[in-house]
Amino acid sequence: MASLNVGNLGEYLREQRRNAQLSLRQLADAAGVSNPYLSQIERGLRKPSAEVLQQVAKALRISAETLYVRAGILDEREREELETRAVILADPSINERQKSVLLQIYDSFRRENGFESGPRTDDEPGTDAGAEAAAGPAEPS
């Protein structure tokens, strides 16, 4: 079989598996894929689906988005945006309203810098005074 052009996905997976101190069989079992199939992925002979990559990422406790980028499924900038959004949404120190306002500001900055932003509905305010007011009073300097 000829090696597929899947970047350095296989090498990266092997490195992550070894760092996690897992055998090929252990990772295959944890990810719910066959041992030979995982071996072929690591050797660059198979290109896994996004679903398989997600299962492997979960078993390795790493970002699925990182694997998507390495497999050519996701662009690096898209991964960075998804990870930024995930961090904001997962932050327990801010409430849901604050998360929403922060994501609106983030989208506004991305648009201002020429990048497409994430999903936006027509009724979301921009980052004008309305968004600043929604964020609450500023801390005194």
Side-chain angles (χ1 to χ4, degrees), residues 22-57:
L22 293 172
S23 70
L24 191 64
R25 187 173 308 281
Q26 288 171 319
L27 179 56
D29 288 344
V33 298
S34 75
N35 190 39
Y37 182 62
L38 185 57
S39 175
Q40 290 174 347
I41 294 170
E42 282 193 0
R43 290 182 289 140
L45 301 176
R46 294 269 186 186
K47 183 174 181 177
S49 68
E51 182 180 326
V52 168
L53 289 175
Q54 185 175 24
Q55 291 168 227
V56 171

Side-chain angles (χ1 to χ4, degrees), residues 45-135:
L45 301 176
R46 294 269 186 186
K47 183 174 181 177
S49 68
E51 182 180 326
V52 168
L53 289 175
Q54 185 175 24
Q55 291 168 227
V56 171
K58 186 176 179 181
L60 288 171
R61 296 184 175 160
I62 62 174
S63 163
E65 287 81 9
T66 299
L67 296 184
Y68 295 161
V69 169
R70 293 203 179 248
I73 296 171
L74 185 65
D75 180 78
E76 179 71 21
R77 286 180 290 186
E78 292 171 317
R79 179 188 66 85
E80 290 170 356
E81 179 186 359
L82 288 172
E83 287 180 350
T84 301
R85 290 177 178 285
V87 168
I88 292 169
L89 293 171
D91 188 337
S93 67
I94 58 177
N95 65 39
E96 295 304 313
R97 179 186 54 79
Q98 291 166 330
K99 291 175 187 180
S100 175
V101 170
L102 189 53
L103 287 172
Q104 291 169 16
I105 293 168
Y106 176 67
D107 286 343
S108 172
F109 285 147
R110 285 184 54 81
R111 281 191 304 277
E112 184 178 307
N113 292 331
F115 294 97
E116 288 187 28
S117 57
R120 179 181 164 95
T121 60
D122 291 337
D123 57 352
E124 284 183 358
T127 58
D128 55 10
E132 290 172 13

